[in-house]
Amino acid sequence: FVDWSNGNTNASFSYTMPAATTTLTANFIRQYTVAATAGEGGTITSGTGTYDAGATVNVVATANEGYRFKEWGDHSTNATYTISDINADYNLTASFVATYTFALNQAEGGSVSTTSNNGTYDNGTHITVTATATTPTYRFGYWRINGNDNTQLTNNVYEFDLTANTTVEPVFVRR
């Protein structure tokens, strides 16, 4: 309900009929519901509710720490989902993906290269690091992962899928 043709906005009111013929019309506007669900790693921070037809609605998905917004159910990737001129009910689903940091440290006696720079990446990102001794007095020994020596990793190329915050460092040993 919006109002009566006489401007009264109360849905129920007392009206004294005048002596002349009078038409009193109730005015309604269609309303639509916007519902949204957030997957693991985030929340819907605004935009759900009931709206008048023709309204513009912005539904906002916000990622929790350690996650980033991925997409809505229709694969749109803007965290703010805009509905222009609403004319139907909406039921949206936002998805999020865990993110982790990757850091690669240089070490004395060689150089190291990678397919991914230091930074934050989505869970499961494939990373390859390659260590190369830069002088004849050093050779590649093994990889240090998160500060722990991993002497089983003796190949100078190390590949892994990022599933946690990870720091990688080559260890070069003197010949």
Side-chain angles (χ1 to χ4, degrees), residues 15-91:
Y15 183 74
T16 303
M17 293 297 290
T21 303
T22 302
T23 302
L24 194 57
T25 305
N27 298 309
F28 296 89
I29 189 166
R30 176 86 165 110
Q31 291 189 315
Y32 297 100
T33 300
V34 176
T37 304
E40 180 183 345
T43 60
I44 304 300
T45 53
S46 66
T48 60
T50 303
Y51 296 91
D52 291 346
T56 296
V57 180
N58 291 312
V59 183
V60 180
T62 303
N64 296 339
E65 186 173 334
Y67 288 83
R68 75 166 180 83
F69 172 77
K70 183 178 179 186
E71 65 186 5
W72 294 99
D74 67 355
H75 305 292
S76 60
T77 58
N78 190 326
T80 299
Y81 191 98
T82 300
I83 303 166
S84 300
D85 192 24
I86 190 169
N87 62 5
D89 291 330
Y90 281 77
N91 190 3

Side-chain angles (χ1 to χ4, degrees), residues 1 3-6 23-27:
F1 173 78
D3 63 8
W4 293 96
S5 56
N6 69 353
T23 302
L24 194 57
T25 305
N27 298 309

Side-chain angles (χ1 to χ4, degrees), residues 68-133:
R68 75 166 180 83
F69 172 77
K70 183 178 179 186
E71 65 186 5
W72 294 99
D74 67 355
H75 305 292
S76 60
T77 58
N78 190 326
T80 299
Y81 191 98
T82 300
I83 303 166
S84 300
D85 192 24
I86 190 169
N87 62 5
D89 291 330
Y90 281 77
N91 190 3
L92 305 170
T93 301
S95 62
F96 302 86
V97 63
T99 59
Y100 299 106
T101 58
F102 166 69
L104 179 62
N105 295 334
Q106 298 291 331
E108 181 183 349
S111 66
V112 63
S113 62
T114 180
T115 56
S116 304
N117 294 325
N118 289 357
T120 301
Y121 294 91
D122 289 353
N123 180 44
T125 298
H126 189 75
I127 296 177
T128 302
V129 291
T130 304
T132 306

